[in-house]
Amino acid sequence: MRLVATATFQASFPFDSELFGPEGSYLALKIEKHLRTAFPVVEAFDNWRDCGWCIPCGIGGLRLWVRFARYLPGEAWQLFVEPVGLPGILGKLLGRRSPPHVAAVRQLALEVDRVLQNESRISVVAWALDPRRDAVPDPAFLPWPEEATA
């Protein structure tokens, strides 16, 4: 099972006339810069499906990404921290296994949260692993599952 840490927050970002793309490049740049201080492999942020931004990175040999976009009219945003390239159902039927990734997703979520908490333009940050459960203000308090391969 692929683990996804999700954050919702309220924010209003300045318009960037130098970048063509959706709102939020201000935050994408801030997250990218911070992640470069925490991890050895961080790629440049990029437009994600013409609605948001994606910051790919590597932790312990795993590929992960942070992606975010506005998800409702107004100032509501949603951000995802998740592994990339894990085997799907066909891959699993062919014997491929997902490498352990809970620790990497947790570590990346904690670093992203540092950016969100220190940004004055962002408020009401809430994290969840499952949208059906109550959200928490800090990813350290999420009910992280035990590490296992699937």
Side-chain angles (χ1 to χ4, degrees):
M1 184 174 116
R2 185 174 85 195
L3 181 70
V4 179
T6 305
T8 57
F9 56 92
Q10 298 289 314
S12 178
F13 301 116
F15 177 74
D16 187 342
S17 61
E18 293 181 23
L19 286 175
F20 177 75
E23 291 179 79
S25 60
Y26 169 87
L27 180 60
L29 180 61
K30 287 197 99 149
I31 292 172
E32 178 192 326
K33 283 182 177 180
H34 176 77
L35 294 181
R36 286 187 187 281
T37 68
F39 305 113
V41 179
V42 177
E43 297 175 26
F45 70 91
D46 198 6
N47 185 322
W48 175 69
R49 296 185 179 177
D50 288 332
C51 68
W53 297 96
C54 175
I55 304 106
C57 61
I59 300 174
L62 291 171
R63 288 192 40 80
L64 298 105
W65 64 6
V66 176
R67 54 190 174 97
F68 68 93
R70 182 187 303 262
Y71 78 100
L72 290 174
E75 297 181 346
W77 292 77
Q78 193 164 30
L79 179 145
F80 304 92
V81 174
E82 63 186 311
V84 180
L86 297 181
I89 195 160
L90 183 59
K92 289 179 181 179
L93 288 172
L94 295 173
R96 286 188 61 209
R97 297 282 179 225
S98 295
H101 57 275
V102 173
V105 171
R106 183 180 188 277
Q107 187 178 7
L108 185 53
L110 291 170
E111 291 301 328
V112 169
D113 187 61
R114 286 189 178 140
V115 175
L116 300 180
Q117 297 298 337
N118 290 320
E119 176 52 51
S120 62
R121 298 173 188 274
I122 295 174
S123 63
V124 196
V125 178
W127 288 88
L129 295 177
D130 182 340
R132 297 167 293 185
R133 294 192 177 163
D134 290 338
V136 296
D138 185 327
F141 301 128
L142 290 172
W144 295 96
E146 293 295 318
E147 191 72 78
T149 58

